[in-house]
Amino acid sequence: VTVTTTDTLSHAKQLLENHSIHHLPVVEGKKVLGVLSANDLLRVSFSSIYVQNDKAIEAELDKAASIRDIMSRQVVSLR
């Protein structure tokens, strides 16, 4: 399960929830550009905590930032 820099934050949130995971690799083709964590999303969505419904929260997430803006770029991988 991965995301790209052009995916929305609400899509990433749904993937994390649906797959019960806490981190998503951010890829471009086969290259890993970074990692997006549930904590990264939480930091961005904290300002939306008073919004009452999920659709409104997702809309606020998508307006707040992009995956490229909040992903961690320093990725260590083992081959």
Side-chain angles (χ1 to χ4, degrees):
V1 180
T2 63
V3 291
T4 68
T5 57
T6 58
D7 287 327
T8 62
L9 292 178
S10 59
H11 174 69
K13 178 181 175 286
Q14 289 174 347
L15 287 174
L16 290 169
E17 291 172 353
N18 292 345
H19 294 280
S20 299
I21 56 178
H22 299 281
H23 298 86
L24 286 168
V26 180
V27 299
E28 185 175 277
K30 293 185 180 190
K31 182 178 179 185
V32 177
L33 301 177
V35 174
L36 182 71
S37 72
N39 284 338
D40 294 333
L41 285 176
L42 185 60
R43 280 192 293 278
V44 172
S45 65
F46 185 73
S47 62
S48 305
I49 200 164
Y50 299 106
V51 179
Q52 296 299 316
N53 64 54
D54 287 341
K55 291 291 184 197
I57 290 171
E58 289 176 2
E60 287 298 316
L61 268 179
D62 294 340
K63 286 192 288 186
S66 70
I67 288 176
R68 185 179 295 277
D69 293 335
I70 67 169
M71 70 180 189
S72 299
R73 287 182 165 79
Q74 295 180 348
V75 178
V76 176
S77 63
L78 303 174
R79 292 182 187 228

